Amino acid sequence: MEDRPPTGIKPYLDKLTLGVTRILETSPGVAEVTFMEKEPAERHTIVSWEQKNSCVLPEDLKNFYLMTDGFQMTWSVKTDDTPMPLGSMVINSVSKLCRLGGSSMYTLPNAPTLADLEDDTDDEGNGDKPEKPHFDSRSLIFELDPCNGNGKVCLVYKHAEPVVSPDTEIWFLDRALYWHFLTKTFTAYYRLLITHLGLPQWQYAFTSYGVSPQAKQWFNMYKPITINTALLTEEADSFVNKLDPNKVFKSKNKTPVLKKKPPSQPPGSQKSHTSMTSAKTSSLAGNSSRK
């Protein structure tokens, strides 16, 4: 009987995750690593999405969806024998690749929208700063990752008028609705997602204000594979504890090592020794004065 070839994406699992599952499983304190396996997206599903949104998916993202319809990996750490969710890596499926700020049939009349946040005085990409996306019809914005409520990673078509340009970029929209550039391609963003291990708020490392002190604690314990050391050497580190995961998650059942103390002399003998020493010193002093 011939062996059947493996189905699904199992043969590509290690390549798909860049081997990060093995790194996490061998890290101290990591309780469980969960990868949700998904079937490839149907080609007609991608074509339907493109027709509905009047744009063409980037080739690298399209190939990704043809291999797996979305991506989800989570991992937990064990505190007090209870797993606590920590890392999360998510890329929405094609069906959840929804437009940000798009009109809805349930929107109330005259209700404010994201387009109302547009300001004509915004910087239009001066110097090294790229032009920011627009919430109005000038750009098309689709949500790739909800970031556990800490913001949104978006696929952005910055030039949608008069015709949608095929050029796309990946941007991070923080909770204050400010834009932060991440990468020019989906492939580059995917590498960032994996190498930062899905640590909480890792996207804020690419903002001017950086990650929160709490997130820095986790960055110190589980350093991303391509960590920028400048992120952890700011002045704010003066109040951030340097935690060693090997010490934090070490076993509590280790037998304590007993240190042997040198034998102490009884108080009486110590006093007599002191008096003898002082008497001897005074007699020597007397002899020297007589001479």
Side-chain angles (χ1 to χ4, degrees), residues 134-204:
H134 298 282
F135 291 113
D136 56 22
S137 58
R138 286 176 287 178
S139 302
L140 287 180
I141 305 167
F142 301 95
E143 181 184 312
L144 274 176
D145 181 1
C147 303
N148 282 336
N150 293 315
K152 294 180 185 296
V153 172
C154 301
L155 173 71
V156 177
Y157 296 79
K158 285 198 299 186
H159 305 289
E161 291 182 343
V163 181
V164 180
S165 170
D167 298 329
T168 59
E169 293 175 349
I170 309 296
W171 286 71
F172 174 59
L173 180 66
D174 66 20
R175 290 186 58 125
L177 300 181
Y178 284 100
W179 287 108
H180 309 276
F181 175 76
L182 290 180
T183 63
K184 283 188 171 293
T185 64
F186 169 77
T187 302
Y189 167 73
Y190 181 74
R191 288 173 182 156
L192 279 183
L193 173 69
I194 296 295
T195 54
H196 280 82
L197 308 177
L199 286 164
Q201 304 174 19
W202 71 264
Q203 296 88 354
Y204 283 88

Side-chain angles (χ1 to χ4, degrees), residues 63-238:
N63 291 334
F64 178 83
Y65 279 135
L66 290 173
M67 185 167 58
T68 170
D69 188 11
F71 180 85
Q72 184 172 354
M73 179 187 290
T74 57
W75 54 281
S76 307
V77 293
K78 208 166 190 178
T79 57
D80 297 330
D81 297 328
T82 304
M84 181 189 75
L86 184 64
S88 176
M89 292 166 261
V90 174
I91 293 174
N92 286 337
S93 61
V94 176
S95 61
K96 292 184 179 180
L97 193 61
C98 301
R99 184 177 176 184
L100 197 67
S103 60
S104 172
M105 60 181 296
Y106 301 106
T107 303
L108 295 173
N110 301 323
T113 63
L114 287 174
D116 295 325
L117 297 173
E118 285 298 326
D119 187 359
D120 293 336
T121 61
D122 284 347
D123 296 335
E124 293 297 329
N126 298 330
D128 296 335
K129 294 182 180 180
E131 178 188 349
K132 294 180 181 179
H134 298 282
F135 291 113
D136 56 22
S137 58
R138 286 176 287 178
S139 302
L140 287 180
I141 305 167
F142 301 95
E143 181 184 312
L144 274 176
D145 181 1
C147 303
N148 282 336
N150 293 315
K152 294 180 185 296
V153 172
C154 301
L155 173 71
V156 177
Y157 296 79
K158 285 198 299 186
H159 305 289
E161 291 182 343
V163 181
V164 180
S165 170
D167 298 329
T168 59
E169 293 175 349
I170 309 296
W171 286 71
F172 174 59
L173 180 66
D174 66 20
R175 290 186 58 125
L177 300 181
Y178 284 100
W179 287 108
H180 309 276
F181 175 76
L182 290 180
T183 63
K184 283 188 171 293
T185 64
F186 169 77
T187 302
Y189 167 73
Y190 181 74
R191 288 173 182 156
L192 279 183
L193 173 69
I194 296 295
T195 54
H196 280 82
L197 308 177
L199 286 164
Q201 304 174 19
W202 71 264
Q203 296 88 354
Y204 283 88
F206 296 87
T207 66
S208 57
Y209 30 86
V211 297
S212 67
Q214 182 182 7
K216 278 188 180 181
Q217 299 281 17
W218 297 115
F219 267 68
N220 281 316
M221 294 181 67
Y222 300 101
K223 287 185 173 61
I225 300 171
T226 55
I227 182 64
N228 181 3
T229 53
L231 298 173
L232 302 177
T233 56
E234 301 172 358
E235 293 180 0
D237 275 351
S238 57

Side-chain angles (χ1 to χ4, degrees), residues 278-291:
S278 58
K280 195 176 291 184
T281 307
S282 59
S283 63
L284 287 172
N287 293 336
S288 60
S289 60
R290 286 173 191 166
K291 287 180 182 179

